[in-house]
Amino acid sequence: MKVEIYSDIACPWCYVGKRRFEQALDAFEGKDGVEVVYRPYQLVPDAPEQARPHREWLAERYGPQSLAMDARITEVGRTLGIDYDFDTVQEVNTLRAHRLLHLAETEYGPAVQAALKERLLKAHFAEGVNVGAAEALVELAAEVGVDRERAAAYLAGDEGEAETRAALAEARAIGVTAVPTFVFEGKWAVQGGQEAETFLQVLRQVEAETAQQIVPLAPAADTCEDGTCAI
C-alpha cells in the first residue's frame, strides 16, 4: 500500500498529522507492506526568502486570534511529544526544504525522506532554525544520513527545483487545498491531522480494498484551527 502525504514544513497541523499517522501505522497489522512518501505543498508559495518571526507573521494574517491558535496547537502537540516553541519559530519560504526532501526520496529512499521530514519539522517548530537557509538544511540532512557534500552542491544550484515545482502544481491539480492530506493508493483521501484511531481504520479499509471512496473527514479551514492548514 502506498500512502502519499501532502504537507508543508511550515504547517503545524502537518506535524500533528505525521505523528498521529505514525501511531496508527505502528498499530497496523500490515505496516510492513506500507510505503510512505511525502509530497510537497506550500501554504504560502510567495513567502519571502528572508525569515520573519512567527508571532509577527501570524498576527498580521489572523489578528488577535493568532495567540489562541498557537496555544491550541501547542496543547495538542504536547500530548504527542511535540514541543512547539512559537516564540522562536522563523517563517520563511519552504521551497528549498521541499527540494531537499525530493533529493532524499529519489537518492536515499522513503525512509530517509521520512527521517528528514521529521528533522525539518522539529528544527522549524521546536528549535528556531531557519529552514530556508541552505547551510542549516545541509546540516539537518547530514544528521539523517544524506551526504553533506551532495546536499550542499544540490542546494547551491537549481537541481530538483523544476521537479519540486511540478509536484507542487500536481498537488493543486488533483485538488489538494489544505494540509495535511493523506492519499491512499492514489484513490482515497483523508484530510487533516486526524486521530490515530481514524488513520488506523482507513489503513484497514484500504487494505480490504474497499470500493467506497473515503472522503475527507475534516473540512478545509481558512485558518490552522481544525486539524488542517489552508490558505
Side-chain angles (χ1 to χ4, degrees):
M1 180 193 309
K2 186 170 186 177
V3 183
E4 296 169 282
I5 304 177
Y6 291 81
S7 66
D8 192 4
I9 298 96
C11 167
W13 280 105
C14 291
Y15 205 173
V16 167
K18 180 179 186 297
R19 192 59 54 84
R20 286 175 171 171
F21 178 78
E22 288 170 345
Q23 289 178 342
L25 188 60
D26 188 57
F28 178 51
E29 300 82 355
K31 62 183 177 181
D32 291 340
V34 178
E35 177 186 16
V36 179
V37 179
Y38 286 88
R39 300 302 186 200
Y41 188 92
Q42 286 190 289
L43 289 171
V44 187
D46 59 350
E49 299 288 336
Q50 185 69 33
R52 295 182 58 196
H54 166 81
R55 298 289 197 192
E56 173 186 303
W57 175 85
L58 198 68
E60 287 182 5
R61 291 179 67 85
Y62 299 117
Q65 67 175 323
S66 62
L67 288 177
M69 292 166 61
D70 281 348
R72 182 187 176 205
I73 190 67
T74 298
E75 183 59 31
V76 173
R78 191 173 293 118
T79 67
L80 297 165
I82 298 172
D83 297 317
Y84 289 105
D85 185 359
F86 288 109
D87 287 332
T88 64
V89 170
Q90 301 183 63
E91 299 296 346
V92 70
N93 194 291
T94 56
L95 179 64
R96 186 174 286 130
H98 283 302
R99 285 177 54 209
L100 191 62
L101 286 165
H102 173 75
L103 170 68
E105 181 205 352
T106 56
E107 296 191 10
Y108 292 85
V112 172
Q113 188 200 37
L116 178 58
K117 182 74 171 187
E118 176 71 23
R119 191 66 190 92
L120 288 169
L121 288 166
K122 183 178 181 180
H124 178 62
F125 285 113
E127 299 173 354
V129 174
N130 176 1
V131 295
E135 299 82 0
L137 290 172
V138 168
E139 292 306 313
L140 295 172
E143 287 183 27
V144 300
V146 176
D147 181 78
R148 181 179 277 101
E149 291 185 3
R150 173 64 179 129
Y154 180 89
L155 293 178
D158 60 1
E159 193 174 355
E161 181 171 343
E163 292 85 350
T164 301
R165 289 189 182 280
L168 288 165
E170 181 180 359
R172 299 283 185 179
I174 66 173
V176 177
T177 58
V179 286
T181 292
F182 300 76
V183 179
F184 297 78
E185 288 290 279
K187 298 178 181 180
W188 301 284
V190 174
Q191 189 180 91
Q194 304 291 334
E195 296 291 343
E197 292 79 6
T198 299
F199 284 126
L200 182 56
Q201 177 187 1
V202 173
L203 285 164
R204 288 170 174 166
Q205 283 182 285
V206 174
E207 185 182 48
E209 298 182 352
T210 178
Q212 181 178 0
Q213 183 176 358
I214 300 170
V215 298
L217 298 176
D222 58 0
T223 67
C224 297
E225 292 190 89
D226 298 308
T228 64
C229 287
I231 295 174

